[in-house]
Each structure stands twice: as C-alpha cells, then as structure tokens.
Amino acid sequence: MDDDWTPPYAHDPNPHPPDDDPALVLVLGGRRIRLEPADLLALLQIELADCYIVSTGHGTSGPFTFGGVALAELPARYGAGAWRAVDVISADGFRTRLSRDELARFAARPPLLAMVIDGMAMTRGQGLVRLIVPQETDDALRQVKWVAEVRVLV
Ligand SMILES: Nc1nc2c(c(=O)[nH]1)N[C@H]1C(S)=C(S)[C@@H](COP(=O)(O)O)O[C@H]1N2
Ligand SMILES: [Mo]
C-alpha cells in the first residue's frame, strides 16, 4: 500500500467549490481515467435514504436521500485486480481512505459517489461529485465534497 497519510483535517468545512469542473480522475494501475458525472450516471445507480451530514461545527443536516454509484463499483468496473483500498481526494485537498474490507462490511448501504440529492441533480455548490459514507455518523470527515480523484491502491 502507498503512504498511509494522516488526513489534513480541520473541522472547518469549506463552503466554496474550489473550481467548476465536476469531473474526477480514476487512478488505477498506472492509468488515469477521466470520468464526467455523465459517465458515472451511465453506471448502476443506487439510492440511499436517511443520510445525515453531521458537522461538529455547524450542526447536523438531513435526512437526505443521495443517489449515485457505489464507490466499490469503480475498481471492479475498470479492471483492478487485487486492490486494497481507495483514496478519495477533493479539489480542495480534503480526503479520506476506505479499505476494501470496510467497503465490503458497508455493502448493505454502500458508500456512494453521489450526484443526486433528494431526487434532484446535485449542484457543484452542494458538492458534486460528493462521497457519501452513510456509516459515518459522528462527524462528516468522510463526506468529501468535490471529488477530483479516486485512487485505487494495491
Ligand atoms: N471537499 C471538502 N469536503 C468536505 C469538507 C471540506 O472542507 N472540503 N468539509 C467536511 C466537513 S468537516 C463537514 S462538517 C462537511 C460539511 O458539509 P456541508 O457543507 O454539506 O454542510 O463537509 C465535509 N466535506
Ligand atoms: Mo465538520
């Protein structure tokens, strides 16, 4: 596995999108695959009801129903073999890591790359494309807005 970084987290959520480009790059086995929201919308869509964003700074929002692609779908779909974890990194340098074991344990409510919120297309301001990890209920450090890179680690 790559460097096991300590996330540069401050509980100081950024309300402003760093740029206008909602595409993300899937980094997998030496390849860099650019995926637009439309590419993700062409894959199997999953809906997760009763999701909350729990900010330790400005309170809890929700419940929301998020729609999108299961994060665990991407390594399989794009031909990763023995992958061990996925790093999800935003355009403003926020990030989280989900291990393959965690994603398997969470499969009943799979962490999503979300593009829909309460039946509406998510706006860039709302986080498009946003990682939603429904199992995280004590803070929102894994609810990464503006996903710019998904890096598959072997
Ligand atoms: N890209 C990015 N995602 C982020 C953050 C951030 O600063 N940048 N802050 C996190 C934190 S600490 C919180 S509390 C929530 C805030 O989500 P909200 O803007 O939907 O309330 O986003 C999380 N995701
Ligand atoms: Mo937060």
Side-chain angles (χ1 to χ4, degrees):
M1 180 115 44
D2 279 5
D3 59 305
D4 206 4
W5 40 261
T6 305
Y9 292 144
H11 280 244
D12 218 357
N14 180 4
H16 304 297
D19 58 43
D20 292 336
D21 181 6
L24 62 88
V25 175
L26 176 65
V27 181
L28 190 161
R31 287 184 292 158
R32 294 178 61 84
I33 304 160
R34 186 180 152 89
L35 298 174
E36 304 280 350
D39 298 317
L40 298 175
L41 285 165
L43 305 178
L44 177 68
Q45 302 297 296
I46 290 172
E47 269 205 346
L48 294 178
D50 297 317
C51 296
Y52 293 86
I53 303 294
V54 181
S55 167
T56 52
H58 56 87
T60 296
S61 59
F64 301 112
T65 298
F66 288 106
V69 177
L71 179 64
E73 186 77 5
L74 290 189
R77 177 89 190 183
Y78 288 91
W83 59 281
R84 295 173 55 179
V86 178
D87 282 349
V88 178
I89 305 162
S90 72
D92 62 336
F94 214 75
R95 56 189 193 172
T96 195
R97 174 172 292 174
L98 284 143
S99 70
R100 190 176 190 165
D101 290 347
E102 264 181 314
L103 288 170
R105 272 204 315 279
F106 295 166
R109 277 168 68 74
L112 288 188
L113 292 172
M115 292 157 287
V116 172
I117 177 167
D118 292 335
M120 310 275 287
M122 191 184 288
T123 64
R124 186 69 173 156
Q126 290 171 315
L128 180 73
V129 173
R130 185 169 197 171
L131 177 68
I132 296 298
V133 181
Q135 291 79 11
E136 184 193 49
T137 54
D138 52 345
D139 57 36
L141 298 178
R142 303 185 107 176
Q143 317 301 319
V144 178
K145 298 182 280 190
W146 314 304
V147 172
E149 194 170 308
V150 172
R151 203 177 289 175
V152 179
L153 308 177
V154 295

